[in-house]
């Protein structure tokens, strides 16, 4: 089976939060993107991205990870098809990695229940999102619990490194240290 990573794109997603992860995994994995509804999406920095796959063609068992970036409109993403898809990835034991406010989407899908997680959700947003964020909030840059990896938005380098490590993307310590800024 082909090694693949799926990325959810939505209006105003914060591409910087996933760029290190994508740089690392794209050397070994096919990276596919999708949106709801299907069509071009403009990121927070103004990049227009065209998705590479339609939702109806996604089978979680064909992927090694679902990657969810944060962004200004993460909290408003509530399409039932998206929520079902995230739940399906979790049910099938596929890794789900969410950063910053993208963690809200994992929470809406219920995949954080009884799990440790971290996020960049402000305290006021956290109170409003308490119905979704039913796991155990941990104040660390990156938290991994079973198949779920979460990170604060400013921990995008460590987030990418954890993802790369879990997906076996480093051939040597030098590969790892390149992204850590030690080479």
């Amino acid at each position: 089976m082909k090694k693949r990573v799926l990325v959810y794109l939505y209006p105003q997603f914060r591409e910087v939060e996933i760029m290190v992860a994508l740089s690392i995994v794209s050397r070994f994995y096919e990276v596919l993107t999708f949106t709801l509804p299907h069509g071009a999406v403009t990121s927070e920095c103004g990049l227009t991205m065209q998705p590479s796959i339609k939702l109806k063609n996604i089978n979680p068992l064909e992927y090694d990870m679902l990657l969810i970036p944060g962004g200004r409109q993460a909290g408003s993403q509530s399409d039932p098809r998206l929520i079902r898809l995230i739940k399906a990835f979790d049910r099938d034991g596929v890794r789900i990695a969410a950063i910053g406010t993208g963690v809200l989407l994992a929470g809406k899908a219920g995949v954080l229940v009884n799990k440790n997680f971290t996020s960049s959700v402000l305290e006021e947003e956290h109170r409003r999102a308490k119905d979704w964020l039913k796991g155990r909030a941990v104040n660390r840059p990156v938290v991994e619990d079973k198949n779920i990896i979460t990170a604060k938005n400013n921990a995008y380098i460590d987030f990418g490194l954890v993802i790369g490590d879990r997906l076996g993307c480093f051939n040597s310590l030098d590969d790892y240290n390149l992204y850590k800024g030690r080479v």
Side-chain angles (χ1 to χ4, degrees), residues 38-149:
H38 191 72
V41 170
T42 302
S43 72
E44 183 178 81
C45 290
L47 295 175
T48 300
M49 312 278 291
Q50 185 67 39
S52 55
I53 190 169
K54 292 183 178 182
L55 179 71
K56 68 180 182 177
N57 298 328
I58 297 172
N59 174 356
L61 294 174
E62 294 177 359
Y63 295 89
D64 296 279
M65 178 175 283
L66 170 62
L67 183 56
I68 305 170
R72 293 181 185 151
Q73 294 186 27
S76 67
Q77 301 300 302
S78 57
D79 188 304
R81 297 171 298 168
L82 173 64
I83 302 306
R84 281 193 303 272
L85 182 68
I86 296 170
K87 286 180 180 185
F89 269 81
D90 186 52
R91 181 189 63 240
D92 292 342
V94 179
R95 286 187 173 98
I96 299 169
I99 185 167
T101 55
V103 175
L104 287 171
L105 296 173
K108 283 183 179 185
V111 302
L112 301 178
V113 174
N114 298 320
K115 292 182 182 162
N116 294 318
F117 73 92
T118 192
S119 76
S120 298
V121 178
L122 300 174
E123 190 172 321
E124 179 182 318
E125 290 173 309
H126 199 280
R127 272 184 262 130
R128 279 186 290 187
K130 69 179 183 233
D131 291 338
W132 310 321
L133 300 177
K134 292 196 177 214
R136 294 174 294 277
V138 178
N139 188 17
R140 289 199 319 246
V142 179
V143 173
E144 183 176 15
D145 194 332
K146 297 180 181 150
N147 65 316
I148 308 292
I149 301 169

Side-chain angles (χ1 to χ4, degrees), residues 6-31:
L6 183 65
V7 182
Y8 176 56
L9 304 178
Y10 56 91
Q12 299 293 305
F13 76 94
R14 194 169 289 131
E15 66 270 33
V16 70
E17 293 177 355
I18 59 170
M19 293 315 289
V20 172
L22 293 177
S23 177
I24 292 169
V25 302
S26 66
R27 299 180 304 147
F28 298 93
Y29 287 78
E30 179 182 13
V31 176

